[in-house]
Amino acid sequence: MTFPERLAIASRNAHKLRELGRICADWPVEWVTVHTHDGPWPDVDEPHDTYRDNALAKAGEVAAALGVPAISDDSGIEVDVLGGAPGPRSARFAGDGATDADNLAKLIGAIAEADPSVRNARYRCVAAIAWPDGSELTAEGVCEGTLETVPRGKGGFGYDPVFVPEASSRTMAELADEEKDAISHRGRAFRALRDILARG
């Protein structure tokens, strides 16, 4: 399996489309997105308990609907003092329909009493590509760090304002886009997927 000529990004999320546009800018493909595709675009749920299953479900459904290969990912934050939660439920930590602000507030409340020395966490991402014939590949990326209880920074999204990556004193939301992409879980996962495709 190698790079297809045309490749869809199985997401409607504007933040994610911009981020993947930067991370995957050197992929030798013609991109198909919800903004460039003329026909209907499938709405895909994330009903599964693992990042891999959610990522493959999204990529597979879009690939089948559009008739071109599609990439997707699922990611989340895993907090040690919460037993690895919220994990694959990170986008719904504060309930179905929760906003980034809702989820962030719940996380801060959940770790507020924990000693800073044990507020270890990681972002994990599984990137997936699926073909209309059912073929599929995945790759994983992880970014280790710690959590703050006072949000800092205006960039990024999700839990970025309280996540401080390893070897940094700044939160993900305080990093420039290129700095974040170089170390982020999503950047690492999609670069690993690109390397698999490049090897054929």
Side-chain angles (χ1 to χ4, degrees), residues 21-81:
R22 296 191 311 266
I23 292 168
C24 303
D26 61 346
W27 290 35
V29 300
E30 176 190 342
W31 293 106
V32 180
T33 71
V34 65
H35 303 300
T36 63
H37 180 66
D38 290 334
W41 195 271
D43 285 313
V44 185
D45 292 326
E46 297 181 348
H48 302 290
D49 295 326
T50 69
Y51 305 115
R52 183 181 186 277
D53 288 345
N54 281 327
L56 286 171
K58 291 184 284 187
E61 190 160 337
V62 170
L66 273 59
V68 298
I71 57 169
S72 184
D73 75 277
D74 192 41
S75 61
I77 194 166
E78 301 169 353
V79 182
D80 289 353
V81 295

Side-chain angles (χ1 to χ4, degrees), residues 43 54-55 58 71 116 118 122 131 146 157 180-181 183-184 189:
D43 285 313
N54 281 327
K58 291 184 284 187
I71 57 169
V118 296
R122 69 209 46 80
W131 283 261
T146 57
F157 57 100
K180 177 184 175 181
D181 295 344
I183 63 170
S184 76

